[in-house]
Amino acid sequence: MKFGGSCLKDEESFKHTVSIIKKYLKKSKLIIVTSAINGITDQLMEFYKKSNDLDINGDLILDQIHERHSKIINEILPENSEYHENNMEFLKQNVRDLNNLGRVINLIHPSKNLQDLIVSYGEKLSTFLLCTYLNSLGFKSEFISSDEIIQTDDNFGNAFPLLDDTEELVNERIKPLLNSSSCEIACIPGYYGSTKDKKITTLGRGGTDLTAALVAYSLRSFYRCKVVYWKDVKGFLDVDPKMCNKAVLLRKISYIEAKELAFFGTKVLHPLCLDVSEKGNFPSEIRSFYDPYTDEFTTITQEFTKDVTGIRAITYIYRLSMVTIKSGTMISLPKTASKLFSLLDENNITIKFISQSSSENNITFVIHMEDSMKVSSLLRESIYFGKQWFSIKIDNNVSLIAVIGAGMMYTPGIAGKIFTTLGNNDVNVRAIAQGSSELNFTAIIERENCKKAINVLYDAFIG
Ligand code: ASP
Ligand code: MG
């Protein structure tokens, strides 16, 4: 089970978390993967930044972090008990370590790696506290630090998990626990791991999801695993309720469909987490932390069912810019495309959509609107594109809409129906693309038509 930061923000949420754990414990052993207490990761990042500045000013942040945790410790652990004492000592020691780290950073400005080490304290503190709390209530629970079991590359800040090594480490460490009667709950901090040479790394924001998936992946050959993600939503919806008031919960969805949804901006889970779970072929559930026993939740599995229309969800990205570069026919576009995309890549521009006409004299791509100015000057200042051979056009008023569904693969005529539906409703389609997986069909339209397009497509395919 994965519990995020808002499941661990105060006395009440800690108690609620434990009530959920208690219920599930009747049926199986549990591995709990937890985030930092709500807001602490941001504060630790701020602390790292401040420590890098000349005038060290991070002490105040550490005071706040100490205060936040000790308040919860006082509320949930019985005063004068060994649990209380141990946890206060653990907190003090870790804040002291952070303080020392801050001073080292301030003095010698070491490499950026230390940011990962610093932010990992958030998960370490929250998870240790939850584990102690469970023990104080009579559960047999054990804390395992993630640097012992999650192995990653050295891409600090956004490290990539090494699956085989992680699998070995998890099995070595967790299997004996699961098989012994002295432990019923394993508590593992999310978000961080370590490199082969034992440097702490983090898995990117929201990385606790990924930790949970990695642990289940590693144990899949020996246990029947399922991952439950406790979230502040009930699961994946078939359309954004802000855009269409008919939104319905998707109760069952395949990993490939969930990945499409994630790509188009439905951020329910860390993106890599879906890949790892699909690979591991175990089910996942998204459930509401605030309504834990409702039968409304999303199950994600490897297999998908073909439904009537083949369309499961309509999604969109609202604020985008469409860039078209056009050349005379003398310029060969293969070279142009590689030059273009290298230039964008080197400058960290994310591309959400690409299309090229068959006459090969223009390429259209779509980027986040915030990147529009940057891309415009990159292109105009580049020796290749800035010269007279190309014309560059940027339209900052477009949105992307996508219809998604694995059943599309078997259903002819989807594209035709999309065009007819949009056409009949006066929505002008500026560009189209279909993923080669045939799981999504994407259209670029004018932003003023975005809401209308979502609603008419919803009615045509789902509603
Ligand atoms: N605490 C980390 C973050 O805020 C990881 C997580 O919450 O999953 O991004
Ligand atoms: Mg979080």
Side-chain angles (χ1 to χ4, degrees):
M1 286 186 168
K2 181 263 175 166
F3 290 93
S6 50
C7 310
L8 305 167
K9 60 171 190 239
D10 51 19
E11 179 182 9
E12 195 190 332
S13 53
F14 263 86
K15 289 191 165 153
H16 188 52
T17 296
V18 169
S19 77
I20 294 174
I21 291 175
K22 200 170 157 183
K23 182 124 182 166
Y24 275 81
L25 206 52
K26 288 188 186 128
K27 285 181 275 181
S28 64
K29 290 212 174 186
L30 290 180
I31 298 172
I32 308 293
V33 182
T34 27
S35 298
I37 288 171
N38 210 20
I40 296 291
T41 306
D42 289 335
Q43 280 185 302
L44 286 166
M45 285 186 170
E46 189 61 28
F47 171 70
Y48 172 77
K49 236 174 71 203
K50 285 247 160 81
S51 303
N52 260 305
D53 289 347
L54 279 182
D55 55 321
I56 191 165
N57 219 336
D59 292 6
L60 190 64
I61 301 177
L62 290 187
D63 287 347
Q64 287 166 354
I65 290 175
H66 183 276
E67 175 65 28
R68 188 83 193 282
H69 286 82
S70 62
K71 182 168 185 286
I72 301 178
I73 293 175
N74 286 329
E75 283 166 348
I76 63 178
L77 296 177
E79 216 183 325
N80 297 325
S81 67
E82 65 175 306
Y83 304 109
H84 187 279
E85 208 172 287
N86 285 348
N87 219 293
M88 277 298 186
E89 192 45 48
F90 187 80
L91 175 63
K92 240 190 253 158
Q93 182 57 49
N94 279 284
V95 171
R96 223 178 287 143
D97 289 351
L98 280 168
N99 196 2
N100 290 336
L101 275 170
R103 286 179 202 284
V104 171
I105 290 166
N106 190 251
L107 277 174
I108 58 174
H109 297 280
S111 63
K112 191 172 181 285
N113 315 354
L114 281 185
Q115 175 168 331
D116 285 38
L117 173 59
I118 283 183
V119 296
S120 75
Y121 279 76
E123 269 67 16
K124 187 158 102 178
L125 288 172
S126 65
T127 309
F128 189 79
L129 177 52
L130 178 65
C131 182
T132 316
Y133 181 40
L134 287 165
N135 282 322
S136 78
L137 296 170
F139 298 102
K140 291 179 260 179
S141 134
E142 187 156 335
F143 174 82
I144 299 127
S145 187
S146 298
D147 51 329
E148 293 178 45
I149 52 173
I150 305 292
Q151 196 129 97
T152 73
D153 67 6
D154 60 358
N155 185 20
F156 292 93
N158 229 332
F160 204 73
L162 305 176
L163 288 182
D164 293 345
D165 301 282
T166 299
E167 183 172 344
E168 207 178 304
L169 291 169
V170 168
N171 275 303
E172 230 166 73
R173 184 73 176 86
I174 311 277
K175 243 169 64 186
L177 283 182
L178 293 177
N179 293 342
S180 95
S181 57
S182 60
C183 175
E184 49 187 349
I185 306 168
C187 291
I188 301 176
Y191 187 40
Y192 71 91
S194 74
T195 59
K196 284 209 161 114
D197 55 354
K198 295 271 165 236
K199 291 194 180 104
I200 299 277
T201 49
T202 56
L203 302 168
R205 294 310 299 266
T208 304
D209 289 345
L210 181 53
T211 308
L214 286 168
V215 173
Y217 175 86
S218 303
L219 295 169
R220 74 196 182 287
S221 317
F222 301 97
Y223 303 93
R224 210 147 51 84
C225 299
K226 173 169 91 177
V227 184
V228 181
Y229 300 88
W230 296 99
K231 296 270 167 181
D232 52 8
V233 293
K234 283 180 176 160
F236 284 94
L237 298 177
D238 60 1
V239 67
D240 182 348
K242 285 199 257 16
M243 290 301 238
C244 171
N245 59 18
K246 295 171 185 162
V248 170
L249 182 79
L250 289 162
R251 283 168 188 265
K252 207 165 178 301
I253 184 172
S254 63
Y255 282 113
I256 41 175
E257 288 168 320
K259 282 195 286 187
E260 293 283 337
L261 286 170
F263 178 80
F264 290 109
T266 309
K267 282 198 192 66
V268 179
L269 291 175
H270 186 287
L272 246 192
C273 169
L274 292 164
D275 272 310
V276 170
S277 311
E278 184 185 22
K279 247 176 158 11
N281 191 16
F282 50 82
S284 304
E285 290 174 5
I286 316 279
R287 286 178 176 266
S288 163
F289 181 66
Y290 301 102
D291 193 1
Y293 310 119
T294 173
D295 62 356
E296 285 181 33
F297 59 90
T298 298
T299 303
I300 319 172
T301 56
Q302 221 183 33
E303 63 277 357
F304 49 84
T305 40
K306 178 190 178 212
D307 65 0
V308 199
T309 62
I311 301 293
R312 303 294 307 279
I314 312 284
T315 182
Y316 70 103
I317 310 174
Y318 195 61
R319 286 160 59 82
L320 293 172
S321 296
M322 182 166 88
V323 186
T324 305
I325 61 166
K326 223 183 182 146
S327 75
T329 46
M330 298 305 286
I331 307 281
S332 113
L333 270 183
K335 234 189 234 157
T336 304
S338 86
K339 284 199 171 83
L340 173 65
F341 294 125
S342 308
L343 179 68
L344 297 174
D345 183 51
E346 281 156 18
N347 289 280
N348 286 323
I349 305 291
T350 304
I351 302 166
K352 299 307 286 188
F353 174 100
I354 302 169
S355 130
Q356 182 185 341
S357 69
S358 58
S359 68
E360 283 207 15
N361 78 349
N362 77 55
I363 298 179
T364 294
F365 61 95
V366 170
I367 52 174
H368 288 292
M369 206 175 104
E370 303 82 73
D371 290 335
S372 166
M373 296 274 262
K374 190 168 163 192
V375 168
S376 168
S377 49
L378 277 174
L379 290 173
R380 290 181 218 281
E381 282 160 21
S382 90
I383 295 172
Y384 188 73
F385 295 104
K387 285 256 170 77
Q388 57 212 13
W389 306 108
F390 292 94
S391 75
I392 300 160
K393 223 179 91 193
I394 302 187
D395 182 342
N396 289 318
N397 295 306
V398 300
S399 298
L400 172 159
I401 47 171
V403 289
I404 289 172
M408 248 165 120
M409 293 192 239
Y410 309 112
T411 320
I414 299 270
K417 190 167 167 187
I418 293 172
F419 282 123
T420 317
T421 307
L422 293 176
N424 288 345
N425 289 281
D426 299 319
V427 177
N428 187 19
V429 176
R430 301 282 304 276
I432 52 162
Q434 177 168 26
S436 57
S437 62
E438 286 193 43
L439 238 68
N440 80 69
F441 190 96
T442 306
I444 304 297
I445 56 172
E446 269 122 40
R447 193 172 305 133
E448 58 179 20
N449 286 328
C450 186
K451 191 167 180 174
K452 177 163 85 176
I454 289 170
N455 280 277
V456 296
L457 288 174
Y458 191 89
D459 286 342
F461 286 102
I462 302 174

